[in-house]
Amino acid sequence: MSAALAVWSVRVEPGKKASLTAQSDIRISVAALDAELKDQSARSSVKLTYVTPQSIDEDEDEEESLPPTTSTILCSLTPGKIEHAPLDLVINEDDEVEFEVIGKNVIYLSGNYITQPMDFPADEDDSDGDLNDTDYDSEVDTAELDEMEHDIEQDDSHRFEEIKTDDEKEAQRAEESSSKKRPRESDAGESGIGGEQKLSKKQLKKLNKKLKAENGEAVPGGGSKEEESKKDVTKGEKKEKDAKKEKKDEKKKSTENGAQKKKGELKETPGGLKMKDVKVGNGKAAKKGDLVSIRYIGKFMDGKVFDSNVKPKEKPLRFRLGRGEVIKGWDEGIVGMQTGGERLLIIPPNLGYGSRKQDGIPANSTLRFDCKLLAIK
């Protein structure tokens, strides 16, 4: 599975502890003061609390107790002097950490996901489909492999011929020549009993060389109908090879085009919306005014899920595209999707809920949505 890069950030307010359980490996690369300062001169520090690693002692009693923690200061920022600080801290998957600001100003911690899995719950009961049905990695068709192996065996079947000694070849040619009774013109006057031609060893060798020609040209005089028939078979096999090779090239080209179609790059609009086509659909493309049906998973940038409609018996979200029935990031981000396609949307606050606090969504939140377009009407 290829590594996916996505932005991660968390807002740490004074007096409030920001707890985090990493759902994927996260790299924290910078700490910066908020654009709006509550105190123009006071220093604010970021405090990190994490579980202290312990060795396991088998002799100790197995009693449940809270694991010990350790606290440290990541950085200290002062308005007008040091307003941001570079960091290089990796939070591993499933690690539990806690951030706290000691001071009066809000501090943002930012970085990126090192790996970013796409986790979709199963939805076997919903006939409209489910995000879990998506295959994000290319799979090899077993039927195609069998066909390839069959083609290889067919191609190799006429590569090898039975090897005979010179004496055996001469004897075989002499026997064929005797049975066909086709004397060479130069030796027409030399015949044995019953008019059957008798050839010397030298003459047999010359005849053998002519019959063994495999360069595609006509066999010189003296060749038998059997040899001519053999050449016709060879030409037919060559045509069959060319046809199979052409068929394989077409399949390879089609596979490459399909793989390229599935891949997408993370693009950003002037308004700050980031989009990536995880899978391109095969149906018609959505445009403003269309009634679309969507399944989605909404997450914060730290990976925590705040909303979804992919559980069993949940109905897809239906809305009229471009009519303001959903947030601006959706009205812009769903345009151009094809039926059956899947797209990642990273929506900044100005295209989401802005400074308004929603149920379970803090103000000024950057949101991530994994969307699948089920139908267009």
Side-chain angles (χ1 to χ4, degrees), residues 84-99:
H84 73 278
L87 302 173
D88 189 7
L89 177 65
V90 174
I91 307 297
N92 293 322
E93 185 177 356
D94 296 330
D95 283 355
E96 297 181 4
V97 296
E98 188 176 77
F99 300 102

Side-chain angles (χ1 to χ4, degrees), residues 138-345:
S138 297
E139 296 183 358
V140 179
D141 189 353
T142 55
E144 185 177 351
L145 282 178
D146 293 339
E147 183 180 351
M148 291 172 62
E149 292 176 359
H150 174 72
D151 291 344
I152 293 172
E153 291 176 0
Q154 293 295 323
D155 291 344
D156 288 342
S157 61
H158 39 262
R159 285 187 183 180
F160 307 101
E161 297 180 356
E162 184 180 0
I163 300 176
K164 297 182 180 180
T165 63
D166 292 339
D167 294 339
E168 290 175 341
K169 290 178 181 179
E170 290 177 5
Q172 182 181 355
R173 300 304 178 189
E175 182 179 353
E176 291 176 356
S177 178
S178 297
S179 62
K180 299 295 180 178
K181 295 184 180 182
R182 296 180 60 184
R184 294 170 57 186
E185 293 179 1
S186 59
D187 299 326
E190 299 178 7
S191 59
I193 301 173
E196 184 176 347
Q197 182 187 8
K198 293 183 179 180
L199 300 176
S200 64
K201 288 187 177 180
K202 185 176 180 180
Q203 291 171 336
L204 286 173
K205 287 184 179 179
K206 288 182 179 180
L207 180 61
N208 184 37
K209 288 181 180 179
K210 291 181 180 180
L211 294 175
K212 287 177 64 179
E214 295 179 356
N215 57 2
E217 299 177 358
V219 178
S224 64
K225 292 183 179 179
E226 182 181 354
E227 294 297 331
E228 292 175 359
S229 176
K230 184 177 180 180
K231 282 195 173 186
D232 291 339
V233 172
T234 303
K235 289 181 180 179
E237 291 174 346
K238 185 177 180 181
K239 289 182 179 179
E240 185 180 353
K241 279 185 183 180
D242 294 340
K244 288 181 178 179
K245 184 178 179 182
E246 185 177 354
K247 185 177 179 181
K248 286 181 183 178
D249 292 342
E250 290 178 358
K251 283 186 178 180
K252 183 178 180 182
K253 186 176 180 181
S254 176
T255 302
E256 290 175 353
N257 291 338
Q260 185 176 5
K261 189 176 180 183
K262 285 186 178 181
K263 294 180 181 178
E265 297 180 356
L266 189 66
K267 300 178 182 179
E268 184 172 358
T269 66
L273 173 65
K274 295 180 180 179
M275 300 181 293
K276 177 180 179 181
D277 283 320
V278 179
K279 178 182 177 182
V280 178
N282 296 319
K284 68 175 184 178
K287 62 183 183 299
K288 291 184 178 181
D290 287 340
L291 180 63
V292 296
S293 298
I294 301 289
R295 286 202 176 278
Y296 66 90
I297 296 178
K299 300 179 182 179
F300 296 114
M301 296 308 294
D302 60 2
K304 183 179 179 181
V305 177
F306 63 84
D307 190 17
S308 70
N309 69 344
V310 297
K311 294 180 180 179
K313 298 183 180 180
E314 285 185 333
K315 295 183 179 180
L317 174 63
R318 292 183 173 87
F319 62 94
R320 190 71 64 177
L321 193 58
R323 300 290 178 83
E325 298 177 8
V326 291
I327 57 177
K328 293 181 179 179
W330 276 55
D331 271 340
E332 292 183 17
I334 301 300
V335 173
M337 285 187 69
Q338 293 176 262
T339 305
E342 298 178 11
R343 180 173 289 181
L344 165 65
L345 302 179

Side-chain angles (χ1 to χ4, degrees), residues 115-131:
T115 56
Q116 184 181 4
M118 301 287 289
D119 298 326
F120 296 107
D123 188 6
E124 298 179 355
D125 297 334
D126 200 319
S127 59
D128 288 331
D130 185 45
L131 291 178

Side-chain angles (χ1 to χ4, degrees), residues 31-50:
L33 289 171
D34 189 9
E36 298 180 1
L37 300 175
K38 294 184 179 180
D39 193 312
Q40 299 290 335
S41 59
R43 184 182 70 171
S44 299
S45 301
V46 180
K47 179 180 178 182
L48 169 66
T49 303
Y50 59 93

